[in-house]
Amino acid sequence: MPFAVYVLGVGVFCLNTTEIMVAGLIPGISGELGVSIAAVGFLVSVYAFGMVVGGPLLTVGLMRVPPKRALVWLLLVFVAGQTLGALAYQYWLLVVARVLTALAASAFFGVSAAVCARLVGPERRGRAMAVVLGGITVAQVVGLPAATFIEQHFGWRASFWVVDVLAVVCIAAVVLKVPAFAGSRDLDLRAEIRAFRNLRLWGAYTTNALVIGAVVAGFSYLSPIYTDATGFNPGTVPVLFAVYGVATVVGNVVVGRFADDYLRPLLLGGLVALTVVLAGFALVVSYQLPTIVATVLLGLIGLPLNPAMAARVMSVSNEGPLVNTVNGSAINVGVVIGPWLGGLGISAGVGLSAPLWIGAGMAFLGILSLIPDFARSPAEVR
């Protein structure tokens, strides 16, 4: 495997850690900047909104830019945004920083996938993509717990600085190890735009937004849930996040292994299970042992549905970059809506279980969104 593939994987890890680490920094940011828990949770939605808007536009805009140069410039923008976040002493500056880093991240994922495909032959493309996108999973297992630990011992700004330094190292690695390619000319805009006339594709996008929105609605507020609702010691929170991350890795391996052969049962069964787990989590949120069990189950069932969701998008449409970039945007629509609704529930006085109930409701809507497409015969769906 070319070393450049691992460089791209570290870059994806870096960018995804920034996206999710706010969930572990809520107490520090809320206390220092004097804003509510819901306002800090909104920073997750802001990041996702930046990816929703930036992804498709930048995918098209970077078509003629040599990939290596694009990667370097995107990482430079990311470093600028991350530095602004680390220095922000007002909430609105942190919002601007999140938008900048999100715009860079949205395009970095797409360009990295294109570079990865060029670095290896077709027979190793799947393995190479697993390494690159594995950065997302490692961010759950290592990035989030590490950022939470750093926040508790050195302050939330230190978490921003550590990711910032890692991004600078990634820039140097890209310059030294990623080969230069000519600008990409593989994107047939007319053919890709025609794919969006397919209503089944939009149905898949809707399901994906609801699934991820359901997971992130609860996940974004896990830190205060653990400490304020369940009564865990703050020092236990990084451990719980690590447990969640390990469960996500296991679930991702299992779903990825069976997604091709059992797409429909995995999606339907997974959504039913996700609905039950989130509702159950809300009911037992005051008890420590059931909360740990619910955390493990949420990790096993929630985000690991991603491979099956992506397979469904490609099965009803095509494997083109724009179709899959818009899928990422659809997923991030869920990331925008989930924490926002969860924050509204908390602000309305429902309590810290509100995001979990809202997540269960979104998962149930996800089940309903499967009905029109899954009512077709298996041959038609696949």
Side-chain angles (χ1 to χ4, degrees):
M1 190 69 63
F3 185 75
V5 172
Y6 296 98
V7 170
L8 298 175
V10 174
V12 170
F13 162 78
C14 190
L15 273 60
N16 194 251
T17 295
T18 291
E19 179 176 11
I20 64 175
M21 73 180 185
V22 167
L25 310 183
I26 286 179
I29 295 175
S30 175
E32 183 175 334
L33 298 186
V35 296
S36 67
I37 288 175
V40 182
F42 178 69
L43 293 174
V44 179
S45 298
V46 167
Y47 195 99
F49 180 76
M51 294 192 73
V52 169
V53 175
L57 294 177
L58 290 177
T59 296
V60 175
L62 292 171
M63 283 175 59
R64 308 304 181 192
V65 177
K68 180 174 180 175
R69 185 185 304 171
L71 289 172
V72 171
W73 279 107
L74 289 169
L75 285 171
L76 285 171
V77 172
F78 177 82
V79 168
Q82 194 73 359
T83 302
L84 177 61
L87 296 173
Y89 282 89
Q90 291 183 310
Y91 177 74
W92 70 270
L93 285 173
L94 199 52
V95 172
V96 172
R98 295 289 285 176
V99 172
L100 281 176
T101 50
L103 289 174
S106 63
F108 188 89
F109 288 122
V111 177
S112 293
V115 170
C116 181
R118 292 188 179 198
L119 286 171
V120 299
E123 70 282 356
R124 291 193 298 167
R125 191 169 295 169
R127 286 177 53 204
M129 286 304 300
V131 172
V132 173
L133 298 181
I136 297 175
T137 303
V138 176
Q140 299 283 341
V141 180
V142 178
L144 176 58
T148 306
F149 177 84
I150 292 169
E151 185 271 335
Q152 292 178 350
H153 291 81
F154 305 102
W156 65 270
R157 296 181 189 278
S159 298
F160 273 72
W161 284 120
V162 169
V163 176
D164 211 3
V165 171
L166 182 59
V168 172
V169 173
C170 286
I171 292 174
V174 168
V175 171
L176 295 173
K177 295 298 182 180
V178 175
F181 296 108
S184 173
R185 299 179 183 273
D186 298 327
L187 183 59
D188 186 345
L189 273 179
R190 291 185 179 180
E192 295 250 358
I193 290 174
R194 283 196 299 270
F196 293 107
R197 299 174 186 173
N198 184 352
L199 293 180
R200 293 177 63 199
L201 176 61
W202 290 103
Y205 286 158
T206 300
T207 303
N208 296 356
L210 288 168
V211 171
I212 300 303
V215 175
V216 179
F219 174 80
S220 299
Y221 299 96
L222 282 183
S223 183
I225 286 173
Y226 289 146
T227 55
D228 298 342
T230 312
F232 281 110
N233 186 288
T236 309
V237 175
V239 177
L240 291 171
F241 277 137
V243 169
Y244 173 86
V246 171
T248 299
V249 172
V250 174
N252 192 66
V253 171
V254 173
V255 173
R257 171 65 179 81
F258 296 105
D260 289 330
D261 297 326
Y262 303 99
L263 177 59
R264 298 173 78 188
L266 272 175
L267 281 175
L268 181 58
L271 271 170
V272 171
L274 181 60
T275 304
V276 172
V277 167
L278 285 167
F281 198 164
L283 292 172
V284 303
V285 75
S286 299
Y287 306 96
Q288 292 189 351
L289 182 58
T291 291
I292 294 172
V293 174
T295 297
V296 172
L297 292 175
L298 183 60
L300 288 171
I301 298 167
L303 293 180
L305 288 174
N306 257 321
M309 296 189 304
R312 183 185 175 206
V313 166
M314 288 184 281
S315 71
V316 301
S317 183
N318 61 57
E319 300 178 3
L322 192 56
V323 165
N324 287 287
T325 298
V326 174
N327 180 44
S329 295
I331 286 173
N332 279 285
V333 167
V335 178
V336 170
I337 294 174
W340 175 66
L341 291 177
L344 287 181
I346 294 173
S347 300
V350 178
L352 287 171
S353 64
L356 299 169
W357 285 116
I358 288 168
M362 294 182 72
F364 180 72
L365 291 176
I367 296 172
L368 299 181
S369 73
L370 294 174
I371 294 175
D373 197 40
F374 281 25
R376 299 167 178 261
S377 68
E380 288 179 303
V381 173
R382 294 305 304 275

